[in-house]
Amino acid sequence: MRRLQLLGLWGLCQIAAVVASVWMLIAALAGSRRAWTLAVAHDQLANAAFGGHEDETLSSRAGKAAREGKRWACIFCRLLDRLDPNHCEKSIEPDEGKPMA
């Protein structure tokens, strides 16, 4: 029964993902702040999918990991630095995810 409930929840999440993506596109085309809010939500979803805290962005998690010298994070942050200098460091959320050392 639990497996069936999870499959139903998965289906609802797929519908929500499509709706959120469409809203994000519309908001981006309209220049609305909602596009940014939805981008952050997608970012948090990706972080949770990769095993991180559900309320933390990938950039924040990577910034913390880069400070610890983790290779994946250093590479990821260098890529993001090309778009926004010092992005990961600026994105660190000390109150979310893994506590900072």
Side-chain angles (χ1 to χ4, degrees):
M1 184 63 167
R2 176 141 169 86
R3 187 175 296 173
L4 190 58
Q5 289 173 331
L6 288 174
L7 286 173
L9 185 57
W10 175 83
L12 291 173
C13 287
Q14 296 309 302
I15 293 168
V18 170
V19 170
S21 292
V22 170
W23 269 112
M24 185 176 171
L25 175 61
I26 292 168
L29 292 172
S32 170
R33 171 117 174 93
R34 182 180 292 191
W36 183 256
T37 300
L38 290 167
V40 170
H42 280 89
D43 191 350
Q44 291 171 328
L45 174 63
N47 186 48
F50 287 118
H53 188 270
E54 69 274 6
D55 200 27
E56 183 175 30
T57 64
L58 275 170
S59 299
S60 172
R61 182 175 169 204
K64 292 174 188 177
R67 283 182 175 180
E68 296 174 3
K70 294 196 177 173
R71 184 174 166 83
W72 73 266
C74 293
I75 293 168
F76 184 70
C77 290
R78 267 184 269 159
L79 290 171
L80 290 177
D81 282 347
R82 292 174 180 241
L83 300 172
D84 178 28
N86 209 26
H87 178 81
C88 289
E89 193 64 33
K90 293 186 295 187
S91 299
I92 290 177
E93 303 170 86
D95 60 330
E96 300 295 347
K98 182 180 175 185
M100 294 174 56

